[in-house]
Amino acid sequence: MNVRDSVDRALGPVAPDAGCESAAVNFAQYADGAVAGEDVSRAFPHVANHLAACPDCNQDYEGLVNCVRELAVSSEDTPPPPEH
Amino acid sequence: MDETLKLSPGAVAHLGWLRESSRLCLPGEAGTGRIGAIETPALASEQPAGGASHVAPALDANSRAWLAALRASGPDKDGALRKLHALLLRAARHEAYRRRPSLPDPVARDLDDLALQAADDALLSITGKLDDFRGDSRFTTWAYMFAIVEVSSKLRRHAWRGRRLNFDEEQWSRLPDRLAGPDDQAEGRELLRALRDAIATQLSARQREVFIAVALNGVPIDVLAERMDSTRGALYKVLHDARRRLRACLEEQGLGRPQLKETQ
Ligand SMILES: [Zn+2]
């Protein structure tokens, strides 16, 4: 990585940004859309920009998408049937 | 809290910790104003986070069943809570083990404990925020998110426990030497000198501390927030403002990012 890239990385992307809290409100919808192959960065540009700028939210979001993708649908995904 | 639900020791204490001093940015807290991002004009959060208009789709049957079970009473609710806890634990463990290769040994040995604590905390959070579920995702995805955010934060804090976060002036003032390689041209060194000077002269002490820790030294914002008694959202805003100031300063000197202009 050259100096320009290092500096640009430290200075973050130049884009409107949702902020941590507003981005987090949309994480689940964003993750479901991404896993379904939707163009979520177009639908939620402020969230996409935030993920590019905020290392903690980005790491959490990656974990969520991985979890949705890789945890196979199982009986744990449904609540127990009512007992009466 | 349902008394028949078996949580690991300390779960109730965790509930207090989460509600009173949460440094996480969990969904549903947006309206509380506790985390600073919402009111900042520097961030774009005054607009809806989604660029397109999104109408929440009709809730899928599984999500409806979860909500009904968790809002029930008696054995139905107990069963749903137990099953939800199992689901959260599975998600937390999955994430913890996924990140195991990047974790220091002492943390890697504690993954199961951390995952269990995360599942407990996530369950307590979710049961207190059921009304915040908007139905625009699957319920299980929304629930997973609490488990991931909890375990992720615990992993970061555990991994950085005991590490000094004071990056003294001498260290970062040598920025050109640290970031520029022997092959970098004069132009790169000039850029780094300008950045170093801008850090010294354009930022408040708090902005400088956050920028140097997070952007230059890779300290997780959660970890810094814990040490500074702040929140992720509040410190991210500080970082965001610091970055904007520094970019503007470099641009004034003709050292801005080529062909990019801030659009806000
Ligand atoms: Zn964030």
Side-chain angles (χ1 to χ4, degrees), chain A residues 32-43:
Chain A
D32 273 354
V35 171
E38 292 166 16
D39 188 355
V40 283
S41 61
R42 197 181 164 110

Side-chain angles (χ1 to χ4, degrees), chain A residues 19-21 23 27 50 54-58, chain B residues 25 221 232-233 236:
Chain A
C20 295
E21 196 176 73
F27 272 1
H50 183 70
C54 179
D56 289 38
C57 286
N58 188 49
Chain B
C25 7
I221 301 177
R232 184 194 300 185
Y236 178 77

